[in-house]
Amino acid sequence: DVEDFLYRLEEYVAFRNASFRVTGRLLQVTTLQMTPESTAAAGSSPELSVTVGLNAYLWGGTTQTAAAGGAQ
């Protein structure tokens, strides 16, 4: 399930014909930690705790700059 989740994150962005195709946010995985849970019941599959750290960026295709003082 973790591998599938990370694959789907990667599919949000594609680079084709010298340009980006973005179907969601640009996501950068910064940390990935997987730890087995010690509370699994006897005879059951062990659980896995997964922590993912991400940076998320919005892609607008153009650069926009906010005005420093706002409108007056």
Side-chain angles (χ1 to χ4, degrees):
D1 290 341
V2 174
E3 183 180 8
D4 181 58
F5 175 75
L6 293 173
Y7 174 78
R8 285 184 281 130
L9 286 181
E10 188 177 88
E11 289 299 304
Y12 281 152
V13 178
F15 186 73
R16 294 192 181 106
N17 299 324
S19 64
F20 287 102
R21 179 184 59 86
V22 180
T23 58
R25 287 184 169 86
L26 297 171
L27 300 173
Q28 174 189 31
V29 176
T30 58
T31 60
L32 177 65
Q33 181 179 4
M34 295 188 281
T35 309
E37 294 289 329
S38 59
T39 58
S44 68
S45 297
E47 295 289 320
L48 188 63
S49 175
V50 178
T51 304
V52 179
L54 298 170
N55 288 331
Y57 305 93
L58 294 177
W59 178 263
T62 61
T63 303
Q64 297 180 357
T65 306
Q72 293 185 14

